[in-house]
Amino acid sequence: MRLSRTLASLCGAFNFVNGGNFSYQNLIMFYRSLDTQFCQDPSIETCRDCILRGPDCAWCADNITASDMGTHRMKCGRLDDLKLQGCKQIEADAKSSLKVTESGKKIRPKKSTVELRHGESYSFQIEFHSEEYYPIDMYYVMDLSQSMQDDLFKLKDLASKLSEKMVEITGKDNFRIGHGSFVDKPVMPFISTTEEDLKNPCSKDKPCEPAYNFHNNLNLTLDTSKFFEIVDKMDHSSNLDQAEAGLDGILQAAVCKDLIGWGDDRHKLIVYSSDAPFHVAGDGKLGGILEPNDMKCHTDGSVLPNEIPREKAIQFDYPSIGQIVDVISKNEIIMIFAVTKGVKKTYSLLADLLPLAAVGELEDDSNNVINIIEEKYNQLAQKVRLQHSGIPENVQVAAKVKCHADREVWIDGFECEQINRNQAVTYNVTLTWNSDGICPDISAAEADFLIYGMDAKSEVEIKFICDCDCPVYPAPSFIVDPKFTLGMLFFPSGRINVLFRLFINLKYFSDKISVPFSCNSGNYSCGQCVCPDGQTGNMCECDVETDTANVWEGCMDPNVSITFYLPVLIFKFTECR
C-alpha cells in the first residue's frame, strides 16, 4: 500500500510537470530496479548465482539487445518481476522434482532421483507393504559358561519345540536356524591357563569343554533337526570371572555373513541367551590385550564347530558398545535378549541403543525361552521404522507417516507400531537443501531409505540444481540506438562525458551505428557475458581493479561521483495506469 501510494504520487507529479503521459508500469519497474531486493543483489552476476540465491529467484535468458545496454534490464529477479519487464525466456525457474526409475513390490519406489533447488523443501512418498509371512533366519547365540549348564540341558529338551513354533510363525519352508556359543577370551585373568585347566576348566569328576572365545556350531539351515542334533551334543565350559565374551559372540555372528549363511530378503534374528554381564572394550587390558577390536570376522575352520583361533582371540580387545550398535545396525539385525533377572537391566540398556531389540526375562532353567522368543519377535515384527543413510550434511530430512491405510491420520516421525500383516505404511519424506548458496562438491549423492529389518530399501539419488539449462544463443551483433537513453541521464559515464556522447549520437549520425558485439575474454551464456576473474561489465570490458561495472552502461572510475538527473523536461510520458 505504501509503495503504491508513493508510485502514484511520482507518476502524478511527472504528468503534471510535463503535461504528458507516464506509464505506471514502467515506473513500477524503475522503482523496483533501484530497490535492492533479495534476487537483485549486485553480487549476482550469473544464472548460476541467481538460482543458488533462493527458490524465488529466476533468470531472464532473453538474448541481449541494443536497448539493454542503456537501460536497467533485470537478469535475476522474482518471477513476476521478470514477466512484468517483458522477459520471454525465463530460466532457472526449475523446481525440485522426483523421477521414479524403478518401482518395487515390498517398497515403492525402489529407485528414484530427486532434484533439489536450493532453499526449497520438497516432499515425496515412500510406501512399504508388509507381507503375510516373513522368511526368518534365526541364529541362537548362547552363553556356555558353567553357570548356564542347566539352561543348556533345558534347550536340549526344547530344541524341537522351538523349531516347530518358529515354523508356525513364519510359514513352511520360511524358517532357517543356526547356533553359536561363547565363553571368554582364553587368557588370564579371564580363564585359568594352567596346562590342566586349559584341557579341562571344570572338576575332574565332571569334566567340560576347554574354554574358547566363540564357536559357530551350526550354519543357518532349513533342516531344523540338525539344530536338535548339534545342541544335544554340546557341552558347557568354564571361566574365572563373572562377565563373559558375549559381545564377541554377537559381533562374530553379525559380521561372519558368508560363514553363517545370512540370506537376503529375510528377517535376520539373533537370539542371545545368558545369565551374566558382558565384557566391553578396555577389559582386555587386564589380559595384556591392547589392540582395539577390528570388527572383522575371525571365526574360521572347515569343520564344525568353527572357532576364533586363539591367537586372534587374544590379539583383539572386546568390542565396544558403539561397535556392536554399528554392526547390528548396518546388517539390519533384530535382537532378542533372553537373560536372567539379575542382568536384565544391563541388557535393557544395551537394547535401548539398538534399532530393533527386546529383552525377555529367563527363568532359572530357561524353561520359558520359547515363549520369550515368540512374544518378543511378534512384538518387534509389528514395528516399522524408516531409516536413512547417505544424506549429505547440507540436506535436512523430516517425515510424516500414515500407519494405517484406512485412516487419514499422519504423525510426525519415522516409526509405526502394531502393524498387521499385509498392511501398507506410507511415509511423506521432506528434503530441504540449505547451504548458504554454495553448491556441493559432488554432483549427486546416493541415499538409502530402508525399513529396518525387513530387507526393504528405497534408493534415492539426490541431485542439486546448480546450473541453468539455457538455450544456446549465438552472440548477437550489437546495434547501438542513437537516441538518448534514460540510463545515460541517470548514470553518465565517468570516462566519456554524457553530453559529448549525446552530441555525437544526435548531431553526426542519423542512422543506427552497428558495433560488433563481443564478450572479449568472457563467454556468452544465458543471454549475457560471463566474465573471467578480473573482468566485469556488459561485454567484460571493465577491469575490476580500476573500474566498476555500471549495470546501465560501460565502465566507471570508482572514485568519480555519480550525478543524478531528473529527466522531467526531456521525456514525453505515457498515461499513468
Side-chain angles (χ1 to χ4, degrees):
M1 182 65 71
R2 185 176 179 182
L3 173 60
S4 299
R5 287 199 299 265
T6 302
L7 292 175
S9 300
L10 285 173
C11 187
F14 285 157
N15 282 333
F16 176 77
V17 172
N18 294 280
N21 299 317
F22 189 81
S23 170
Y24 184 56
Q25 185 180 33
N26 289 340
L27 189 55
I28 290 176
M29 285 304 304
F30 174 66
Y31 185 90
R32 286 182 173 176
S33 70
L34 292 179
D35 184 25
T36 303
Q37 297 187 29
F38 181 73
C39 296
Q40 296 170 247
D41 191 305
S43 65
I44 300 175
E45 297 181 348
T46 65
C47 187
R48 178 187 175 97
D49 294 338
C50 182
I51 65 172
L52 291 175
R53 183 68 170 176
D56 294 330
C57 299
W59 182 263
C60 181
D62 287 356
N63 216 350
I64 195 166
T65 65
S67 60
D68 294 337
M69 299 299 287
T71 60
H72 182 193
R73 185 173 176 84
M74 286 183 295
K75 299 298 285 183
C76 184
R78 300 184 188 276
L79 183 61
D80 57 345
D81 291 338
L82 295 182
K83 289 181 178 178
L84 193 59
Q85 79 170 8
C87 183
K88 296 180 176 60
Q89 185 67 46
I90 298 178
E91 294 295 328
D93 189 33
K95 299 297 182 183
S96 301
S97 62
L98 171 73
K99 180 181 179 181
V100 176
T101 55
E102 183 180 342
S103 188
K105 183 179 179 182
K106 190 184 297 184
I107 192 167
R108 294 193 295 267
K110 189 173 183 179
K111 292 184 179 181
S112 60
T113 299
V114 172
E115 287 192 316
L116 294 180
R117 177 77 184 267
H118 176 252
E120 182 178 46
S121 294
Y122 182 72
S123 298
F124 61 98
Q125 290 190 346
I126 295 176
E127 183 177 299
F128 168 73
H129 194 279
S130 63
E131 297 179 340
E132 179 68 24
Y133 291 104
Y134 284 108
I136 297 178
D137 282 349
M138 189 184 87
Y139 194 74
Y140 201 112
V141 178
M142 189 173 186
D143 176 0
L144 282 187
S145 60
Q146 191 167 15
S147 61
M148 289 288 286
Q149 183 178 7
D150 291 343
D151 304 84
L152 177 60
F153 290 154
K154 181 56 65 175
L155 182 60
K156 292 178 180 181
D157 293 339
L158 297 175
S160 59
K161 292 182 180 179
L162 173 60
S163 299
E164 291 171 4
K165 176 56 68 175
M166 295 306 296
V167 169
E168 179 183 319
I169 293 173
T170 63
K172 189 178 180 180
D173 297 329
N174 280 336
F175 177 67
R176 300 196 305 168
I177 192 169
H179 192 278
S181 57
F182 61 87
V183 182
D184 214 336
K185 289 193 177 293
V187 65
M188 280 288 289
F190 311 117
I191 69 166
S192 174
T193 54
T194 65
E195 183 178 352
E196 183 178 353
D197 288 340
L198 286 175
K199 295 179 180 179
N200 173 28
C202 300
S203 61
K204 291 182 180 181
D205 56 330
K206 293 182 179 181
C208 63
E209 289 287 329
Y212 54 86
N213 193 192
F214 172 75
H215 276 179
N216 171 47
N217 302 306
L218 177 66
N219 300 337
L220 290 163
T221 177
L222 285 169
D223 188 352
T224 57
S225 65
K226 289 185 178 180
F227 180 75
F228 173 79
E229 293 173 5
I230 289 292
V231 171
D232 189 55
K233 295 176 182 178
M234 285 193 304
D235 196 3
H236 69 282
S237 184
S238 183
N239 62 325
L240 295 179
D241 63 339
Q242 183 183 12
E244 320 290 9
L247 297 190
D248 271 321
I250 294 174
L251 188 140
Q252 291 298 302
V255 301
C256 296
K257 302 176 185 178
D258 295 335
L259 178 71
I260 291 173
W262 293 109
D264 296 327
D265 296 319
R266 308 176 71 86
H267 273 180
K268 301 176 183 67
L269 173 64
I270 290 180
V271 176
Y272 176 101
S273 179
S274 179
D275 66 347
F278 46 79
H279 281 296
V280 295
D283 289 354
K285 293 180 180 180
L286 296 173
I289 304 174
L290 304 179
E291 192 169 345
N293 196 286
D294 64 355
M295 301 172 66
K296 295 181 180 179
C297 177
H298 295 296
T299 307
D300 199 7
S302 57
V303 180
L304 293 175
N306 309 129
E307 65 177 321
I308 300 178
R310 184 178 183 277
E311 60 271 18
K312 291 293 183 181
I314 64 175
Q315 177 183 351
F316 298 105
D317 196 3
Y318 298 98
S320 67
I321 298 295
Q323 288 177 321
I324 294 299
V325 172
D326 186 49
V327 298
I328 293 299
S329 300
K330 285 182 177 178
N331 292 284
E332 296 184 59
I333 293 173
I334 301 171
M335 290 290 309
I336 294 178
F337 296 99
V339 296
T340 54
K341 183 178 180 179
V343 293
K344 184 179 178 181
K345 183 176 181 180
T346 298
Y347 286 93
S348 294
L349 293 172
L350 175 58
D352 288 343
L353 301 175
L354 300 175
L356 208 57
V359 180
E361 185 177 323
L362 274 178
E363 295 176 359
D364 290 339
D365 59 356
S366 294
N367 187 55
N368 65 331
V369 66
I370 294 179
N371 293 335
I372 289 176
I373 295 173
E374 179 184 13
E375 175 191 349
K376 298 303 179 183
Y377 173 75
N378 286 332
Q379 174 186 324
L380 295 174
Q382 290 181 336
K383 288 185 177 182
V384 174
R385 175 182 295 174
L386 183 70
Q387 293 189 328
H388 56 80
S389 61
I391 303 293
E393 292 182 0
N394 52 10
V395 175
Q396 286 75 49
V397 185
K400 290 181 179 291
V401 59
K402 183 170 71 171
C403 298
H404 303 278
D406 57 343
R407 306 176 201 166
E408 283 299 321
V409 178
W410 293 83
I411 59 175
D412 293 328
F414 295 87
E415 185 172 314
C416 289
E417 296 186 352
Q418 297 181 343
I419 300 302
N420 299 321
R421 296 177 179 180
N422 281 331
Q423 183 173 321
V425 176
T426 304
Y427 288 91
N428 195 64
V429 179
T430 300
L431 301 179
T432 306
W433 171 28
N434 289 315
S435 62
D436 297 327
I438 300 174
C439 203
D441 294 333
I442 56 173
S443 59
E446 301 294 334
D448 291 331
F449 290 85
L450 57 90
I451 303 297
Y452 186 87
M454 307 294 181
D455 201 37
K457 180 171 66 175
S458 179
E459 300 177 11
V460 180
E461 182 185 32
I462 300 176
K463 292 185 176 180
F464 304 93
I465 301 175
C466 292
D467 293 301
C468 301
D469 188 21
C470 296
V472 179
Y473 290 127
S477 295
F478 183 64
I479 305 298
V480 177
D481 193 333
K483 68 182 178 180
F484 196 70
T485 62
L486 181 65
M488 292 180 183
L489 279 171
F490 274 72
F491 292 92
S493 171
R495 292 188 171 183
I496 303 176
N497 184 276
V498 64
L499 296 178
F500 179 73
R501 292 187 63 177
L502 174 62
F503 175 77
I504 291 295
N505 281 341
L506 298 181
K507 179 74 175 176
Y508 293 100
F509 297 94
S510 58
D511 297 326
K512 295 179 179 179
I513 304 171
S514 295
V515 178
F517 179 86
S518 172
C519 286
N520 294 301
S521 56
N523 296 311
Y524 191 72
S525 175
C526 292
Q528 73 159 26
C529 288
V530 180
C531 303
D533 293 340
Q535 298 296 314
T536 186
N538 287 318
M539 294 188 290
C540 304
E541 75 278 19
C542 304
D543 189 318
V544 295
E545 293 185 1
T546 59
D547 307 316
T548 58
N550 190 313
V551 293
W552 277 269
E553 61 162 32
C555 306
M556 295 178 58
D557 187 328
N559 297 318
V560 175
S561 61
I562 296 175
T563 305
F564 188 91
Y565 298 90
L566 281 177
V568 295
L569 299 178
I570 297 175
F571 284 93
K572 177 78 172 177
F573 297 104
T574 57
E575 181 181 0
C576 285
R577 297 179 183 179

